[in-house]
Amino acid sequence: MSGDSVREWAAQIDPRTTRLRWYLIALATPLLLTDGSRVLAWIAGAPVTAAEITVLEFLSQFAVTLVVAGALEEFGWRGFAQPRLQERWSALTAALLIGLVWALWHFPLVYGGTGAGYGAGAFVGFLIGLPVFSVAMAWIYNGTSGGLLFVMLFHAMINAPSPLQIADTAPSWAQTVGELGQLGFLLVVPLVLTLYYGREYLAASQPTPLIPGRRQ
């Protein structure tokens, strides 16, 4: 990769590349996917309270995740792999493939004794959730014509601590409603994006060239 290509690749994080609404989408969509269950549990009658975390603690964890996970991983998953896989397959197929590889990448963190803090059942959640997140992130990435900053923000939000928590006193059926609702969100979001935008681009139109130096 030439020096010019590296600069073009890194330029994908330019915050001036798109409109304000994509910042809102990048920050709000992960909340729907990760905290929708708590809202549904609250609607079902479960007591839901604010998490015991200060604003400063939330922002510091968000910032660390943005730099460590959001930046280091997303240069690979979306900045490199997504546009190259899209040259051969549809954006949807590329996103699902990346999501599965992304889930497998977490396997050592769950079962390898790394001390990452994941429970033994977390890997099943990765296998379900990460392909869904990957589809949503491909939509954001293609919709912003390679705005890598926005998928970095998305990644940081899904890793940030939840602002809500379900009380231990919540009835089990209410928690079940929330969990089923969460699964529903995870199934509906990629379906809606695919039906509305089409599997080929997951965007309103064919995105401009996302690979540095590549011309369409």
Side-chain angles (χ1 to χ4, degrees):
M1 181 180 290
S2 68
D4 289 341
S5 294
V6 171
R7 283 190 291 271
E8 290 178 18
W9 188 39
Q12 294 178 91
I13 64 171
D14 186 347
R16 301 166 298 175
T17 55
T18 195
R19 289 175 289 182
L20 175 62
R21 68 185 179 94
W22 284 108
Y23 285 97
L24 299 177
I25 289 170
L27 294 172
T29 305
L31 288 176
L32 172 66
L33 292 171
T34 58
D35 283 322
S37 62
R38 295 172 178 86
V39 175
L40 289 173
W42 174 74
I43 293 174
V48 175
T49 61
E52 296 179 358
I53 184 171
T54 67
V55 174
L56 181 59
E57 289 172 333
F58 178 89
L59 292 177
S60 63
Q61 291 190 43
F62 176 85
V64 170
T65 307
L66 178 65
V67 173
V68 176
L72 298 182
E73 288 190 38
E74 289 310 321
F75 269 109
W77 299 135
R78 255 55 61 173
F80 184 86
Q82 183 75 36
R84 284 162 176 79
L85 290 175
Q86 286 176 180
E87 291 196 316
R88 181 170 182 178
W89 294 295
S90 68
L92 176 64
T93 300
L96 292 174
L97 287 173
I98 291 171
L100 289 174
V101 174
W102 189 13
L104 292 173
W105 185 86
H106 284 82
F107 186 88
L109 299 179
V110 177
Y111 297 106
T114 61
Y118 293 115
F123 187 64
V124 175
F126 286 138
L127 285 173
I128 297 173
L130 295 191
V132 173
F133 294 153
S134 189
V135 171
M137 293 163 89
W139 161 58
I140 293 172
Y141 184 70
N142 286 345
T144 58
S145 294
L148 194 57
L149 174 62
F150 303 96
V151 291
M152 290 166 57
L153 291 170
F154 186 110
H155 196 143
M157 280 300 293
I158 62 176
N159 281 19
S162 171
L164 301 174
Q165 61 183 9
I166 300 175
D168 295 335
T169 57
S172 58
W173 62 267
Q175 296 190 48
T176 300
V177 168
E179 291 170 357
L180 291 176
Q182 185 69 71
L183 181 60
F185 279 129
L186 291 174
L187 294 175
V188 166
V189 167
L191 179 63
V192 169
L193 290 176
T194 302
L195 291 176
Y196 188 83
Y197 291 101
R199 59 180 292 134
E200 193 62 29
Y201 305 129
L202 289 175
S205 60
Q206 185 175 6
T208 55
L210 303 179
I211 299 176
R214 195 68 58 86
R215 296 290 182 269
Q216 290 182 324

